[in-house]
Amino acid sequence: PCAMGRKVSDEYTIPLCRTHHRQLHHSGDEVSWWLSMEIDPLSIAQDLWQESQRWRTRFNLKRDEPVCMSFASGSVAIACVG
């Protein structure tokens, strides 16, 4: 596995259920998979990130404290941003 030990920034992370996470990895082509799902992942990731930063400010959370929030947008229900 060439990606072992690498973690994308939470700024670009979208939570997926186990089934869709597996489908995504088994597809072998992330861009095509998102297109087939008719989801714009960058737009959703940006919305989640911006909302998490508002929560971080509102509750005066430190950078290393996770933010868990409810965010209903299509198939995304809960997001925890570290």
Side-chain angles (χ1 to χ4, degrees), residues 1 3 5-6 11-12 15 17 19 21 24 28-29 32-34 38 41 44 46 52-54 57-59 66 73-74:
R6 296 180 186 166
E11 189 174 352
Y12 301 103
C17 69
T19 300
H21 186 251
L24 173 61
D29 182 350
S32 293
W33 186 83
W34 285 110
E38 298 181 10
I44 293 173
Q46 181 180 28
S52 74
Q53 299 315 297
R54 282 191 284 274
T57 301
R58 180 178 177 192
F59 296 106
S73 174

Side-chain angles (χ1 to χ4, degrees), residues 22-39:
R22 284 185 184 162
Q23 283 179 3
L24 173 61
H25 283 286
H26 284 104
S27 76
D29 182 350
E30 185 172 347
V31 172
S32 293
W33 186 83
W34 285 110
L35 288 171
S36 73
M37 299 300 286
E38 298 181 10
I39 296 174

Side-chain angles (χ1 to χ4, degrees), residues 3-18:
M4 226 166 145
R6 296 180 186 166
K7 184 180 180 292
V8 69
S9 167
D10 288 333
E11 189 174 352
Y12 301 103
T13 301
I14 298 174
L16 296 173
C17 69
R18 173 182 272 178

